[in-house]
Amino acid sequence: MATLLADEPVLTLFLVAALGSLLGRVRVRGVALGVAAVVFAGLAVSALVPAAALPEIVVVLGLSIFVYAVGLASGPSLRHVLRGGGGRVVAGAAAVLVVTAAAVVGLAALLGVDGAGAAGAFAGALTNTPTLATVVDRLGAAGGDAAVVAFSITYPLGMAVTLLATARAVRGAGGGAEELTRVTVTLARDVGDVATLLGDQRSRVTVVRVRRGPAAVAPEDDVVATPDTELREGWTVTLLGAPAAVDEVASRAGGARRADAFEDRRNLDFRRVWVTERGVVGRTIGDLRLPARREATITRVARGDVEWLAADDDVLQLGDRVTLVAPTDRLEAVADELGDEVRRTSEFDVLTFGLGVVLGILLGTVPVPLGPVTLQLGFAGGPLVAGLVLGALVRTGPLLWQVPQSASVTLRQLGLVLFLAGVGTRAGPAFVDALGSPLLLQVLALGATAIAVPVVATMVWQRRALDSLGRVTDGPSALAGLVAGITSQPAALALAEDRAAGQDALLGYATVFPVAMVGKILLGQAIAALL
């Protein structure tokens, strides 16, 4: 069997991936390692069969795919947050990471741990595989193995601390995701126009339909609402939004109210539509001018597992699902305008994806002066930065850089499995030696420092910076998202979203995740170079 694993790297790769997937499903107190367990499976296999190390190309290929796809997915969120006033939070996250790296360097020098061990402990405690990848890329085989060993020792510690901090931060947040509700209200008086009716709840409630009278007798009696649509006594309006906000708006209108299932579709109809038309991707909902051109409107946007009330400044991404309301006889034509081709939601453009990775790899070769050392972004940092920029741009002329979310998730998981399997199978013997080494306690001490500083600083200082995120309404869940983001820990984000209401945890995560990724990649190399 040992000879077979050594001679057949493809067999070894899939065996490690399968064993890692199985290990990643094991839950301890409701927490699982997930795909990160692949690195431990690789360590186990190579510890038993040292000759089973996978070729270097597996590591580089997986790394490039993973970090570029992460950058593409994070680019639009970073642009949106920076425009929305999140610069203070981003700057704070960067400062926290610099302080963390300085603390690791100081403690490592005191304990006598070399650059590879310190950088690996830094990456593992902050549960950041791209940082490990750049360190491995910089140090080469021998130093890279030492970094992987330190990463493997500190990763579980970092994950446990992050989950505990996230659980603590989210205390006091609303429980469970807030579902949107739809209610039809008969107006007890003239209320002016739709904008007046919604008032300060405009961001949380929308008017889906206006019925000019208690019962429609002709198609023109049902209309899609715009902010200046007039509302009169006796007419009915259908409201959609957060339950408490809908209740407040309905109270202003007065009159009778009832739950609305949109059963009467004689004049207006609705439908879930996939955004797949290239000309629509990257544009805001307001830019489409659907109410003016088509007498139609988009009421909800769903991206992955998250759904929210549509706003004019929402930028549509490839693979979004939107709820479209339009006159019954025009609904199909408007859906076609948005694309609505299910097949394209799982495809990606090989041309633009390949060009983006090429640009990223070239960028990774450019020297970056950083104080006394000169660094390179490498195969991890270069594609990540390229992905962030191109993801924020969405398109360049006819070139569409974006990848549908379903395809993006698949690419990220594939790339990460290749990378973790590659590095794991190359460091098994060194990992076994480290477990009996006197350096074990030193590495754990470095890991404890590397995770304690950013978590404590985020919990204490960043709480004061949340006001700069104008859309954040729930402080605890947003803070939990910041903790998950600065540690780049998806499991912590999932915990925050599960226990908190609304999208504030996701917004907090998206705010600091890109700068945390880039910052840790650069700082990991700096730690390796300085020691």
Side-chain angles (χ1 to χ4, degrees):
M1 185 64 181
T3 303
L4 184 62
L5 291 176
D7 293 342
E8 300 292 341
V10 175
L11 172 64
T12 303
L13 170 61
F14 282 101
L15 176 63
V16 169
L19 291 176
S21 177
L22 184 63
L23 178 62
R25 296 178 185 181
V26 177
R27 293 186 174 273
V28 179
R29 294 184 177 273
V31 177
L33 286 174
V35 70
V38 172
V39 73
F40 297 103
L43 288 169
V45 169
S46 63
L48 296 172
V49 187
L54 291 171
E56 181 69 17
I57 185 62
V58 174
V59 177
V60 175
L61 176 63
L63 172 63
S64 302
I65 292 174
F66 171 66
V67 296
Y68 180 67
V70 166
L72 283 181
S74 304
S77 297
L78 179 62
R79 181 183 64 177
H80 177 80
V81 166
L82 292 178
R83 287 181 175 179
R88 181 182 175 191
V89 178
V90 171
V96 165
L97 289 173
V98 170
V99 171
T100 302
V104 168
V105 169
L107 183 59
L110 183 64
L111 296 176
V113 179
D114 64 11
F122 175 81
L126 293 174
T127 64
N128 192 263
T129 48
T131 300
L132 172 65
T134 55
V135 171
V136 170
D137 183 42
R138 177 182 180 86
L139 295 177
D145 287 351
V148 171
V149 169
F151 175 91
S152 303
I153 292 171
T154 58
Y155 186 98
L157 173 66
M159 188 173 186
V161 171
T162 301
L163 289 170
L164 289 173
T166 302
R168 180 175 179 80
V170 84
R171 289 178 184 176
E178 190 173 42
E179 298 290 338
L180 299 179
T181 187
R182 188 166 52 228
V183 172
T184 291
V185 180
T186 300
L187 301 176
R189 55 184 177 81
D190 293 350
V191 295
D193 55 20
V194 168
T196 302
L197 173 65
L198 297 181
D200 58 356
Q201 295 294 345
R202 187 172 179 179
S203 64
R204 303 186 69 205
V205 182
T206 189
V207 176
V208 176
R209 171 179 61 185
V210 175
R211 174 163 289 181
R212 294 184 281 201
V217 295
E220 59 268 19
D221 289 327
D222 277 347
V223 296
V224 170
T226 62
D228 57 358
T229 298
E230 186 180 6
L231 301 177
R232 296 181 180 177
E233 180 181 353
W235 291 8
T236 59
V237 295
T238 300
L239 306 173
L240 173 70
V246 166
D247 187 64
E248 180 180 331
V249 174
S251 298
R252 296 175 189 169
R257 69 178 76 174
R258 60 181 172 81
D260 188 284
F262 223 126
E263 295 176 351
D264 184 354
R265 300 185 179 186
R266 290 173 295 172
N267 305 328
L268 287 181
D269 201 354
F270 77 96
R271 173 175 159 187
R272 288 291 187 98
V273 175
W274 294 96
V275 177
T276 58
E277 175 58 43
R278 297 173 64 92
V280 172
V281 174
R283 299 176 63 185
T284 66
I285 292 176
D287 288 341
L288 301 181
R289 300 178 56 248
L290 291 180
R293 295 190 306 104
R294 296 284 200 169
E295 297 182 5
T297 188
I298 292 174
T299 59
R300 310 187 197 197
V301 179
R303 187 169 298 153
D305 296 327
V306 181
E307 183 177 42
W308 65 91
L309 202 63
D312 283 347
D313 61 351
D314 284 336
V315 178
L316 295 175
Q317 296 187 22
L318 191 61
D320 283 351
R321 289 168 294 135
V322 300
T323 301
L324 181 66
V325 180
T328 304
D329 58 352
R330 302 181 189 178
L331 184 61
E332 189 68 31
V334 181
D336 289 343
E337 183 177 323
L338 298 178
D340 202 29
E341 299 178 62
V342 178
R343 176 179 58 85
R344 294 189 60 187
T345 63
S346 58
E347 296 179 341
F348 68 98
D349 190 333
V350 178
L351 170 63
T352 56
F353 192 87
L355 285 176
V357 174
V358 167
L359 291 173
I361 292 174
L362 293 176
L363 178 62
T365 63
V366 177
V368 180
L370 191 66
V373 297
T374 299
L375 308 177
Q376 290 182 329
L377 292 175
F379 283 104
L384 177 65
V385 173
L388 287 170
V389 173
L390 297 177
L393 291 176
V394 180
R395 64 168 65 250
T396 305
L399 298 177
L400 180 62
W401 303 107
Q402 214 168 64
V403 173
Q405 186 176 44
S406 57
S408 176
V409 171
T410 301
L411 287 167
R412 296 198 308 260
Q413 186 171 29
L414 173 63
L416 189 55
V417 166
L418 291 174
F419 168 71
L420 292 176
V423 297
T425 57
R426 301 170 70 86
F431 181 72
V432 173
D433 292 340
L435 292 179
S437 167
L439 285 178
L440 177 63
L441 294 180
Q442 286 95 317
V443 169
L444 286 173
L446 287 174
T449 301
I451 189 61
V453 173
V455 166
V456 172
T458 299
M459 296 280 286
V460 174
W461 183 84
Q462 290 281 53
R463 187 187 300 270
R464 304 176 183 177
L466 286 175
D467 289 341
S468 64
L469 288 175
R471 291 177 60 184
V472 171
T473 58
D474 186 81
S477 60
L479 183 61
L482 290 178
V483 172
I486 202 166
T487 57
S488 312
Q489 182 48 256
L493 174 62
L495 174 65
E497 288 187 299
D498 182 57
R499 298 191 181 182
Q503 303 171 62
D504 299 321
L506 183 64
L507 181 58
Y509 184 86
T511 301
V512 298
F513 177 78
V515 71
M517 288 287 285
V518 175
K520 282 183 275 190
I521 284 172
L522 292 174
L523 291 170
Q525 292 185 74
I527 291 172
L530 290 171
L531 291 170

